[in-house]
């Protein structure tokens, strides 16, 4: 089917999708608040209302996710992106591709690198492409340079990891197996999208159509196969 037809089929119920996303976001916020209050309890009361709130919010989040996963193509709000990145880092079984202009230590931290290494140890092929403009023109802190070096070290150890400075990319892409691909304005490797911080409008589109996912992977793969200059 033509892409336009796929998009039309996926987003025609966008009003319902937005309602589900709102419920999911509200449940996540309630979950975060309840967990924080439990941390302050001494001792925690496992039979109290906070635990009931956590159980109900968790159920709401899981139901919303199942419903949203059934929509083949839909729009993403900013707060959905971090969870999808975490899902890809946790659940990828065959391949993971991330393209993002900048690398910052706030995202590419110890947990991120450990998650990548865990995937590589399971035989997952990982592709990370980054870089916009000449490297010497980037304003990077020492910890950001160290984060990039951590990925370089990982690449030297694992043959299934391809880490490329593309130098001309403003693309922001996340691709997991043939499960989904996301094209977005969200900077995967430099922006955390923390809901507790000042709101920043980032928008994306996700498709779970395997044909579209494979098409995008095949389109991007040659860039990772080019010799490093």
């Amino acid at each position: 089917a033509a892409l336009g037809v796929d998009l039309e089929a996926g987003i025609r119920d966008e009003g319902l999708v937005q309602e589900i996303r709102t419920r999911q976001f509200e449940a996540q916020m309630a979950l975060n608040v309840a967990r924080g209050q439990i941390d302050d309890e001494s001792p925690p009361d496992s039979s109290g209302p906070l635990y009931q709130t956590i159980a109900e919010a968790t159920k709401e989040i899981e139901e919303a996710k199942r419903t949203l996963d059934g929509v083949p193509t839909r729009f993403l709000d900013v707060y959905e992106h971090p969870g999808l990145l975490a899902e890809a880092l946790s659940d990828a079984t065959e391949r993971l591709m991330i393209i993002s202009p900048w690398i910052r230590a706030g995202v590419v931290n110890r947990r991120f690198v450990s998650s990548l290494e865990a995937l590589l140890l399971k035989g997952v092929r990982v592709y990370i492409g980054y870089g916009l403009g000449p490297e010497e023109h980037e304003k990077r802190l020492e910890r950001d340079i160290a984060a990039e070096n951590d990925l370089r070290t990982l690449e030297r150890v694992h043959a299934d990891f391809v880490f490329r400075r593309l130098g001309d990319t403003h693309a922001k892409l996340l691709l997991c197996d043939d499960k989904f691909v996301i094209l977005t304005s969200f900077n995967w490797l430099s922006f955390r999208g923390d809901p507790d911080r000042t709101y920043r409008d980032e928008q994306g589109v996700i498709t779970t159509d395997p044909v579209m996912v494979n098409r995008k992977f095949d389109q991007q793969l040659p860039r990772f196969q080019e010799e490093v200059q």
Side-chain angles (χ1 to χ4, degrees):
L3 175 58
V5 175
D6 291 339
L7 286 172
E8 181 181 356
I11 67 176
R12 61 181 171 225
D13 296 324
E14 184 61 23
L16 176 59
V17 168
Q18 183 59 48
E19 179 183 338
I20 295 169
R21 287 189 302 195
T22 299
R23 293 206 309 265
Q24 184 184 34
F25 178 72
E26 291 173 349
Q28 185 64 59
M29 297 303 293
L31 180 63
N32 293 345
V33 170
R35 283 175 172 169
Q37 291 175 342
I38 283 177
D39 290 341
D40 294 335
E41 282 190 1
S42 181
D45 179 10
S46 60
S47 63
L50 288 177
Y51 282 87
Q52 183 177 352
T53 297
I54 288 175
E56 292 173 352
T58 300
K59 181 179 179 181
E60 180 78 23
I61 292 167
E62 291 173 350
E63 290 178 352
K65 185 179 185 304
R66 282 195 295 271
T67 302
L68 293 175
D69 285 347
V71 181
T73 302
R74 64 182 183 86
F75 299 129
L76 292 176
D77 286 335
V78 58
Y79 63 83
E80 295 183 84
H81 290 77
L84 287 162
L85 176 59
E87 178 182 333
L89 288 169
S90 172
D91 298 346
T93 59
E94 296 182 3
R95 64 189 182 187
L96 172 68
M97 181 180 286
I98 304 173
I99 298 177
S100 188
W102 303 285
I103 292 174
R104 298 293 182 260
V107 176
V108 182
N109 51 26
R110 183 176 300 177
R111 177 180 297 179
F112 182 97
V113 174
S114 295
S115 297
L116 277 189
E117 186 162 29
L119 291 181
L120 291 162
L121 290 172
K122 292 190 296 186
V124 177
R125 290 169 289 130
V126 176
Y127 306 85
I128 292 182
Y130 75 105
L132 177 63
E135 187 172 7
E136 60 269 19
H137 291 175
E138 285 194 11
K139 297 179 180 179
R140 297 183 297 167
L141 300 175
E142 287 188 9
R143 63 176 180 268
D144 299 327
I145 296 173
E148 182 179 329
N149 288 336
D150 287 342
L151 295 179
R152 289 277 176 221
T153 299
L154 201 61
E155 183 190 33
R156 287 194 291 269
V157 175
H158 296 277
D160 285 333
F161 183 26
V162 183
F163 183 50
R164 288 288 184 272
R165 179 177 176 84
L166 303 176
D168 62 358
T169 189
H170 209 279
K172 295 94 175 177
L173 175 149
L174 175 65
L175 185 149
C176 179
D177 298 331
D178 61 357
K179 297 175 185 175
F180 65 79
V181 62
I182 300 170
L183 300 176
T184 181
S185 65
F186 189 92
N187 288 284
W188 296 108
L189 302 180
S190 63
F191 180 51
R192 293 178 57 183
D194 190 336
D196 295 330
R197 299 290 183 88
T198 302
Y199 177 77
R200 193 167 91 182
D201 184 20
E202 304 285 355
Q203 302 180 25
V205 176
I206 181 173
T207 181
T208 56
D209 178 351
V211 174
M212 298 299 296
V213 177
N214 289 326
R215 185 182 302 173
K216 179 54 67 173
F217 179 82
D218 292 341
Q219 180 192 73
Q220 297 299 316
L221 183 60
R223 301 216 65 191
F224 291 92
Q225 296 173 327
E226 297 171 357
E227 292 295 326
V228 179
Q229 300 297 321

